[in-house]
Amino acid sequence: MDIAAGGETGVLFAMANRSEIKVLAATRESRLGGSAILVRKGSPIRDLAQLKGKTIALPYYTHQHYQLAVALKRAGLSWHDVKVVNLDTAAGSAALNGKHADAFVVWDPNTAIAQTQQHARVLKPLKPVIDPPGMLYAPSAALDDPSKKAALRDLTRRVIRANAWVNKHPEEWAKSISRLSGIPLAAARLQVSRSRSMYEPVDKPTVAAWQKEVDYFKDLGQIPSAPVVKDSVQWDFAPVVEKAAAASDAGQGGR
């Protein structure tokens, strides 16, 4: 694997476990998104305080892992006031529907599928709680190779252009998601309607947000030590990202 994009939490956990990773760009969601705490249709749970003593299904080491931890704290609950079960998205959905979990923490398209197919209810959207940017990242070894680094620069530009196309063609993108992922078109349309992500250069405030997150998990005792995030940023990609993002916004190619 030479490049990937996704939530920052898993990457931060990997850094804490000494994986050699470099962050090329940040990704930011400008709309509400589908990150949420879900409960079953008809559930009596109406606020986060009512989760005390309840079982929550959560895929660990995800963006939502951090969002849930902060949401619980703001509701006056600790991580130990609830029973958090580490389940992947399919198992978490089954646990919620089968009444083996009282809540399910997840993201789109899984949230949209649960809402449109199982009529799950959003107890709490998580973007307003806390929402550090995601990451476009690569193994350090790939960036140590001059030819691969040049290819990664080019691919970063292409990723940003493709993302700009997605933002400008929501219906076509929803149909593509439905076709390629095999999910109902209604769920894909719901996902697209509340998402508009953007790539941007990594800057000091973004690094500070990531550092705050990894320090938080260290304080929770979920990682042994907190890495220095700024040391894992490929700072010379910032001009590449900035130029490509500006060109894409202007409808140009961005070389």
Side-chain angles (χ1 to χ4, degrees):
M1 189 276 291
D2 289 321
I3 194 168
E8 80 296 341
T9 305
V11 183
L12 294 172
F13 269 85
M15 290 177 184
N17 285 287
R18 303 185 185 280
S19 293
E20 296 293 329
I21 294 169
K22 290 290 187 179
V23 183
L24 311 180
T27 61
R28 195 178 297 276
E29 176 58 67
S30 64
R31 293 182 179 170
L32 183 62
S35 183
I37 302 174
L38 301 178
V39 293
R40 283 184 301 280
K41 179 183 178 181
S43 170
I45 299 172
R46 292 289 169 180
D47 60 52
L48 294 188
Q50 291 178 292
L51 290 175
K52 186 172 183 178
K54 303 297 185 183
T55 299
I56 303 173
L58 165 75
Y60 269 36
Y61 317 120
T62 59
H63 184 66
Q64 290 68 29
H65 188 156
Y66 182 46
Q67 290 179 313
L68 174 64
V70 175
L72 290 173
K73 183 178 180 180
R74 292 185 181 176
L77 300 175
S78 76
W79 191 261
H80 304 292
D81 285 328
V82 297
K83 181 182 179 182
V84 182
V85 182
N86 182 13
L87 296 175
D88 64 26
T89 55
S93 178
L96 183 68
N97 293 327
K99 300 186 179 181
H100 300 296
D102 301 290
F104 177 33
V105 184
V106 75
W107 58 91
D108 272 337
N110 306 285
T111 303
I113 293 169
Q115 288 179 278
T116 57
Q117 300 295 109
Q118 289 92 40
H119 307 292
R121 173 167 52 85
V122 173
L123 176 66
K124 181 74 174 179
L126 289 172
K127 185 178 187 293
V129 174
I130 196 163
D131 193 44
M135 297 175 174
L136 181 70
Y137 56 98
S140 299
L143 290 151
D144 291 337
D145 181 324
S147 61
K148 281 192 174 183
K149 185 174 183 179
L152 286 171
R153 286 178 185 272
D154 180 62
L155 186 54
T156 296
R157 296 184 188 103
R158 293 172 185 270
V159 167
I160 293 170
R161 289 203 301 271
N163 187 70
W165 182 91
V166 163
N167 288 337
K168 293 172 183 175
H169 300 85
E171 180 62 16
E172 292 95 325
W173 180 230
K175 289 177 179 177
S176 294
I177 291 172
S178 177
R179 184 180 71 255
L180 296 171
S181 301
I183 68 172
L185 182 57
R189 282 175 170 152
L190 178 57
Q191 173 187 349
V192 169
S193 73
R194 58 191 177 199
S195 177
R196 186 179 178 86
S197 63
M198 299 172 291
Y199 283 87
E200 56 188 37
V202 178
D203 57 17
K204 289 182 179 179
T206 296
V207 169
W210 290 335
Q211 190 66 54
K212 181 179 179 180
E213 178 174 350
V214 80
D215 290 343
Y216 188 86
F217 280 117
K218 178 182 179 296
D219 292 342
L220 274 180
Q222 295 190 7
I223 56 173
S225 61
V228 179
V229 178
K230 67 180 177 65
D231 293 343
S232 294
V233 175
Q234 190 68 32
W235 293 103
D236 61 353
F237 266 59
V240 176
V241 175
E242 184 173 23
K243 185 176 179 180
S248 294
D249 288 343
Q252 301 167 13
R255 297 299 298 170

